[in-house]
């Protein structure tokens, strides 16, 4: 039996909804619409009411440009395009224009327009691509408009041009579904949970319509449907965090990259962003890493994807991932801006929904499932029980190129709160970073051997600032970026004369370089920021007890300052001054 529903019913409800801005009234209208909708069609009606055909993550957009809609309206109403444009100038709403022009025509509509017909046509419009697509889309729309009443035309045109905007929030829709099918708003929490683990209102609507609350309770995580991200609250001090966490928590490095939710089914992999867009095509390398590293048939894992310098192993700034936000040239971007992934959660594995298990258990599963390699690891993690331990770990995180730490509850109640910002995760980013705008001139005091493509030369140089009072060079950064292939090939020869077997007596360093030099050569370096550092000596104890300062994301500008003696290099004092003058404190 073909179940049908008239689109006119939907259009009438939309009209009533437009007349109110009160959430309660809005819910009532939705309840009315849902009650009149056959269960078989509820998903489609839910999507349409939000101006869509599918959940957002499917990435299927109707997307008809206004210009094209004008042509379709002109064709359907048999008027000149100029007339349509003129009306549009006046109404400012193509939907109203379509309604107005159709009202004047009184075409004979053969049979009532059904929801299926509307949905099917919009779906065709959305999926038409390639040569001749524009004409096809235009014809599909104008044919559809010929079958509509003026009011229906108004909403269809608004829908195809992305201007429906009834203001039906997800939560209002969930309220209405709960009222009609789950016994009242009291069930909203459970219905919402289904939404939070699927990001698919249509699927939730179909499930609750067919099976009520019982079916919603059984609604599980599914590979392929993104789980809405759990988010962190924020506190200012380690003391506050530990207090909130009941005295202990798992502190994890907060990597500065892009959050990716990985869905794996056998060799099929889909990747979703923090906002649940499908970003699989941007990261073929993550897809490959997933296939190699996740030892499960089916899994949903979360990770932070971070740009890395393959030579030095250092993390690179978040901005480098911007090169992945494109349709073409991904292969080049992959080579120029390689990444690593750091996994931090496992939400599903081989039929087992882990979202309601406590965090330590999820992490244990994650450790078992992930085959660690150069490019795929787990987030660095430490169980801390005191403010001092937390502070120490935080400083290590900053030093290793992270933004701070995310503290996670290890209590038995520490479930994965999909779609919520809550206190089970608390981030600590109290900032000790200061943006750098000027270049600095630093002295080469040591070097590290290169790997891979840089085997046989240096992978990074150890650089120091000058302290005129003590007449020493104090390390402030390790730089491997910005050297051309020619530079790289020349480095060992260039430094041969300065090479010594031990750290020079005028060099102060905690780091153990592979090779040490007599301080002689000065390089111009630009960095992104200056941070506190437990391993560099420059500025030690001057800004903060136990910490020095480091230049993060340093890059050689290409300028060998042959005109400068090492004693002319940027001084420790200057670095401290740069740090303090531009210190950017993040709001709490
Ligand atoms: P922010 O801009 O601070 O990253 P946000 O609103 O994107 O904030 P929050 O939930 O407040 O997200 O902070 C956690 C974010 O930090 C995650 O979305 C994730 O991208 C990132 N992150 C990095 N490392 C971790 C980790 N170990 N555990 C969880 N999230 C991490």
């Amino acid at each position: 039996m073909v179940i049908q529903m008239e689109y006119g019913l939907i259009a009438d409800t939309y009209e009533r909804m437009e007349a109110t801005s009160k959430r309660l009234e809005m819910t009532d209208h939705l309840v009315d619409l849902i009650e009149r909708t056959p269960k078989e069609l509820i998903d489609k009606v839910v999507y349409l009411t939000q101006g869509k055909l599918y959940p957002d993550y499917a990435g299927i957009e109707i997307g008809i440009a206004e210009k094209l809609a004008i042509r379709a309206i002109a064709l359907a109403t048999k008027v000149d395009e100029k007339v349509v444009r003129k009306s549009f100038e006046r109404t400012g709403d193509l939907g109203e224009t379509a309604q107005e022009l159709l009202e004047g025509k009184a075409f004979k509509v053969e049979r009532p327009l059904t929801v299926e017909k509307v949905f099917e046509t919009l779906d065709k419009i959305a999926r038409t691509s390639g040569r001749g697509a524009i004409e096809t889309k235009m014809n599909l729309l104008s044919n559809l408009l010929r079958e509509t009443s003026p009011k229906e035309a108004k909403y269809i045109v608004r829908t195809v041009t992305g201007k429906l905007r009834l203001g039906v929030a997800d939560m209002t829709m969930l309220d209405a579904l709960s009222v009609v099918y789950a016994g009242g708003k009291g069930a909203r929490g459970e219905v919402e949970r289904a939404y939070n683990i699927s990001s698919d209102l249509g699927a939730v609507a179909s499930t609750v319509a067919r099976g009520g609350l019982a079916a919603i309770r059984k609604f599980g995580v599914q590979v392929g449907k993104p789980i809405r991200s759990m988010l962190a609250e924020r506190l200012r001090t380690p003391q506050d965090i530990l207090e909130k966490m009941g005295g202990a928590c798992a502190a994890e490095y907060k990597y500065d990259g892009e959050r990716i939710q990985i869905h794996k089914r056998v060799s099929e992999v889909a990747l979703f962003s923090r906002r649940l867009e499908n970003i699989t095509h941007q990261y073929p390398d993550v897809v490959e890493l997933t296939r190699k590293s996740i030892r499960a048939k089916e899994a949903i894992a979360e990770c932070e994807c971070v740009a890395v310098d393959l030579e030095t192993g250092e993390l690179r700034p978040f901005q480098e991932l911007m090169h992945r936000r494109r349709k073409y040239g991904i292969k080049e971007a992959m080579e120029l801006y390689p990444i690593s992934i750091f996994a931090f959660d496992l939400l599903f594995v081989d039929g087992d929904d882990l979202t309601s298990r406590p965090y330590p258990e999820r992490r244990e599963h994650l450790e078992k499932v992930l085959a660690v390699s150069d490019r795929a690891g787990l987030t660095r993690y430490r169980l801390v029980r005191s403010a001092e331990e937390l502070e120490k770990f935080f400083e290590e995180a900053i030093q290793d190129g992270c933004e701070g730490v995310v503290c996670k509850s290890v209590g038995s109640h520490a479930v994965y709160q999909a779609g919520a910002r809550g206190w089970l995760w608390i981030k600590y980013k109290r900032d000790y970073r200061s943006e750098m705008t000027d270049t600095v001139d630093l002295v080469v005091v040591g070097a590290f051997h290169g790997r891979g493509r840089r085997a046989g030369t240096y992978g990074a140089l150890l650089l120091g600032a000058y302290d005129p009072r003590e007449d020493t060079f104090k390390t402030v950064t390790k730089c491997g970026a910005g050297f051309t292939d020619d530079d790289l090939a020349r480095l060992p020869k260039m430094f041969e004369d300065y090479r010594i077997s031990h750290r020079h007596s005028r060099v102060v360093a905690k780091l153990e370089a592979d090779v040490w030099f007599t301080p002689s050569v000065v390089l111009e370096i630009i960095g992104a920021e200056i941070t506190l550092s437990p391993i560099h000596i420059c500025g030690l104890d001057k800004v903060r007890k136990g910490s020095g300062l480091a230049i993060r994301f340093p890059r050689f500008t290409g300028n060998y300052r042959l005109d400068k003696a090492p004693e002319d290099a940027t001084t420790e004092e200057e670095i401290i001054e740069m740090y303090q003058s531009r210190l950017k404190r993040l709001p709490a």
Side-chain angles (χ1 to χ4, degrees):
M1 196 180 67
V2 184
I3 310 282
Q4 298 213 319
M5 177 182 186
E6 289 179 25
Y7 185 75
L9 242 169
I10 295 192
D12 289 342
T13 312
Y14 289 174
E15 196 167 50
R16 287 199 293 275
M17 280 176 162
E18 272 184 324
T20 180
S21 56
K22 297 198 185 99
R23 181 163 170 191
L24 280 182
E25 279 178 26
M26 186 75 106
T27 313
D28 288 345
H29 293 312
L30 276 177
V31 165
D32 186 48
L33 179 65
I34 293 168
E35 277 172 344
R36 290 153 172 254
T37 303
K39 292 177 182 176
E40 292 74 5
L41 296 177
I42 188 76
D43 50 349
K44 294 189 170 121
V45 171
V46 163
Y47 296 133
L48 283 174
T49 303
Q50 292 201 313
K52 310 170 187 169
L53 298 174
Y54 297 98
D56 286 340
Y57 66 79
I60 299 173
E61 284 175 24
I62 316 173
I64 281 221
E66 267 167 6
K67 240 166 110 184
L68 200 63
I70 289 174
R71 280 178 60 201
I73 294 168
L75 199 66
T77 56
K78 300 197 170 75
V79 299
D80 197 274
E81 275 180 45
K82 277 193 209 130
V83 179
V84 183
R85 255 188 238 112
K86 202 140 195 163
S87 156
F88 181 37
E89 271 167 28
R90 187 167 37 78
T91 61
D93 169 9
L94 265 186
E96 253 179 59
T97 287
Q99 180 177 27
E100 200 177 272
L101 292 172
L102 274 173
E103 264 161 5
K105 295 286 170 182
F107 288 126
K108 197 164 164 288
V109 177
E110 291 295 326
R111 57 187 165 80
L113 182 65
T114 63
V115 172
E116 291 90 321
K117 171 81 189 192
V118 173
F119 191 90
E120 202 181 282
T121 312
L122 299 193
D123 194 34
K124 268 195 205 141
I125 292 177
R127 289 174 193 271
T128 302
S129 63
R131 261 180 74 195
I134 297 203
E135 283 310 294
T136 313
K137 283 175 194 260
M138 207 271 301
N139 285 323
L140 282 164
L141 179 58
S142 76
N143 288 342
L144 181 64
L145 291 178
R146 276 199 203 110
E147 292 186 42
T148 62
S149 71
K151 193 197 291 179
E152 289 167 344
K154 171 164 86 176
Y155 293 111
I156 287 174
V157 168
R158 284 189 187 166
T159 304
V160 296
T161 52
K163 299 268 163 64
L164 185 62
R165 298 188 189 145
L166 294 170
V168 180
D170 294 348
M171 295 307 146
T172 316
M173 187 62 92
L174 292 170
D175 271 346
L177 288 167
S178 308
V179 169
V180 179
Y181 289 118
K185 279 192 195 164
R188 224 287 294 280
E190 288 180 87
V191 180
E192 188 184 330
R193 182 195 148 269
Y195 174 56
N196 286 336
I197 59 170
S198 67
S199 315
D200 186 348
L201 265 184
V204 173
S206 290
T207 306
V208 72
R210 286 165 206 247
L213 202 50
I216 278 294
R217 286 184 179 142
K218 280 198 225 132
F219 191 99
V221 166
Q222 292 166 54
V223 175
K225 285 190 188 293
I227 297 173
R228 297 182 69 223
S229 302
M230 173 168 180
L231 299 172
E233 283 288 353
R234 170 185 230 169
L235 283 174
R236 289 181 72 125
T237 67
Q239 286 81 356
D240 290 347
I241 294 174
L242 277 161
E243 200 174 299
K244 197 89 183 172
M245 291 285 185
C249 65
E252 281 186 20
Y253 275 17
K254 185 175 191 303
Y255 297 86
D256 195 6
E258 172 159 21
R259 181 176 191 158
I260 297 185
Q261 195 176 99
I262 298 174
H263 286 237
K264 174 181 188 256
R265 178 180 290 128
V266 197
S267 65
E268 231 176 274
V269 176
L271 309 176
F272 298 99
S273 70
R274 177 185 179 291
R275 297 173 55 207
L276 312 181
E277 301 129 327
N278 190 320
I279 50 167
T280 315
H281 68 281
Q282 294 178 15
Y283 292 103
D285 34 10
V286 176
V287 170
E288 207 38 50
L289 278 174
T290 301
R291 290 197 183 114
K292 277 199 213 135
S293 320
I294 298 192
R295 290 177 296 204
K297 245 195 188 140
E298 289 193 319
I300 303 177
E302 281 202 304
C303 71
E304 193 77 0
C305 172
V306 191
V308 285
D309 183 329
L310 293 182
E311 303 302 335
T312 61
E314 282 177 356
L315 304 178
R316 301 284 312 152
F318 166 74
Q319 283 73 12
E320 294 198 350
L321 297 178
M322 292 299 135
H323 300 281
R324 300 300 185 99
R325 299 227 168 129
R326 52 166 85 165
K327 255 196 177 147
Y328 308 103
I330 292 288
K331 204 162 160 262
E332 292 75 11
M334 259 165 60
E335 274 164 26
L336 282 171
Y337 305 101
I339 49 85
S340 279
I341 55 171
F342 296 92
F344 60 81
D345 221 317
L346 187 68
L347 310 179
F348 181 83
V349 63
D350 291 334
D352 215 358
D353 176 353
L354 303 179
T355 53
S356 45
R357 310 279 179 79
Y359 179 59
E361 203 180 319
R362 301 202 303 278
R363 173 94 188 184
E364 223 172 86
H365 280 283
L366 181 64
E367 282 170 14
K368 275 193 213 131
V369 162
L370 192 87
V372 173
S373 66
D374 269 11
R375 308 283 293 278
L378 288 128
T379 46
R380 194 177 274 264
Y381 165 108
R382 188 175 298 161
L383 193 68
V384 294
R385 297 181 187 283
S386 71
E388 293 70 41
E389 277 178 300
L390 179 49
E391 186 65 28
K392 187 161 174 286
F393 191 65
F394 168 80
E395 280 175 16
E396 287 172 29
I398 296 284
Q399 164 57 32
D400 284 341
C402 293
E403 275 187 294
V405 291
V406 184
C407 298
K408 300 184 178 177
S409 165
V410 288
S412 55
H413 61 296
V415 298
Y416 187 89
Q417 290 177 320
R421 192 181 284 284
W423 293 103
L424 293 176
W425 285 9
I426 304 173
K427 60 186 167 187
Y428 179 39
K429 309 206 281 193
R430 175 175 49 94
D431 222 20
Y432 280 114
R433 293 194 294 182
S434 176
E435 270 174 44
M436 265 183 96
T437 44
D438 289 342
T439 56
V440 284
D441 299 319
L442 302 175
V443 184
V444 183
V445 298
F448 299 86
H449 295 309
R451 298 182 296 171
R453 213 166 55 84
R454 290 198 190 178
T457 178
Y458 298 132
L461 301 179
L462 183 62
L463 300 160
Y466 182 56
D467 175 358
R469 252 167 305 173
E470 293 176 13
D471 189 29
T472 54
F473 299 94
K474 298 177 166 175
T475 71
V476 66
T477 196
K478 195 173 137 184
C479 176
F483 295 95
T484 62
D485 286 349
D486 278 354
D487 285 328
L488 284 173
R490 275 206 312 260
L491 283 180
K493 184 131 190 46
M494 189 172 161
F495 283 95
E496 210 173 67
D497 288 350
Y498 309 117
R499 208 171 148 155
I500 45 177
S501 59
H502 52 273
R503 181 167 50 78
H504 193 275
S505 56
R506 286 171 73 204
V507 170
V508 196
K510 266 196 213 170
L511 273 177
E512 215 22 73
D514 293 333
V515 180
W516 292 106
F517 301 124
T518 303
S520 314
V521 179
V522 180
L523 300 184
E524 187 180 70
I525 300 289
I526 178 84
E529 57 198 28
I530 306 178
T531 67
L532 282 187
S533 161
I535 64 159
H536 283 292
I537 298 293
C538 177
L540 184 66
D541 292 336
K542 304 260 167 63
V543 176
R544 196 177 151 78
K545 187 117 196 56
S547 292
L549 292 174
I551 293 174
R552 264 183 87 191
F553 308 134
R555 178 174 284 275
F556 174 44
T557 61
N559 198 0
Y560 294 93
R561 297 302 307 259
L562 302 176
D563 55 325
K564 283 200 166 181
E567 293 77 13
D568 297 327
T570 302
T571 63
E572 178 184 38
E573 247 351 278
E574 283 173 300
I575 302 262
I576 296 171
E577 167 60 26
M578 282 169 106
Y579 171 76
Q580 280 171 336
S581 67
R582 297 193 59 86
L583 185 61
K584 156 190 90 173
R585 283 193 184 274
L586 287 184

